[in-house]
Amino acid sequence: MKKRFDVSKLYSKERTVLSKERTMLSNERTLLSYVRTALASFVLGVVMLRVLNDSNLDKWIGIVAIIVGFIFLIIGSIKYQKRKLMIKKAL
């Protein structure tokens, strides 16, 4: 008697590959949201420094906004790399 081809194994392997791809894409979307937030913070900081240069408070808010933007960019990059390694190890 011949062995039948087990279709469930094929689907299982396919699901694993697709699951990994979905997880990687989700991780990349999260990185892009961190980058978007960092850019918005940079723009706010530049506007506060260049356009609304009325008081010292505007300057300090602008500087803090730029620093927060850098922090978001660094945190997002670190989290992306950590999750990327976790995903590669897990799947």
Side-chain angles (χ1 to χ4, degrees):
M1 184 177 218
K2 287 187 177 181
K3 267 188 158 179
R4 286 188 163 189
F5 181 70
D6 192 5
V7 178
S8 64
K9 288 181 182 178
L10 175 67
Y11 287 132
S12 176
K13 186 176 182 180
E14 216 173 83
R15 285 182 184 170
T16 305
V17 171
L18 292 176
S19 173
K20 183 177 180 180
E21 289 299 320
R22 275 194 309 268
T23 308
M24 290 295 286
L25 290 172
S26 174
N27 191 30
E28 290 173 2
R29 279 193 308 270
T30 304
L31 173 66
L32 289 175
S33 70
Y34 273 101
V35 171
R36 182 184 62 230
T37 305
L39 285 175
S41 182
F42 290 146
V43 169
L44 175 67
V46 169
V47 166
M48 294 297 284
L49 288 175
R50 299 289 181 181
V51 177
L52 302 175
N53 204 358
D54 295 339
S55 67
N56 272 346
L57 181 63
D58 291 340
K59 288 180 185 178
W60 282 107
I61 292 173
I63 291 169
V64 169
I66 290 173
I67 292 170
V68 167
F70 276 118
I71 291 171
F72 268 115
L73 196 59
I74 291 168
I75 289 172
S77 299
I78 291 170
K79 283 188 173 187
Y80 172 75
Q81 292 299 328
K82 283 183 180 180
R83 287 184 186 138
K84 186 176 175 183
L85 290 175
M86 285 173 44
I87 292 167
K88 285 186 177 183
K89 286 180 184 177
L91 299 174

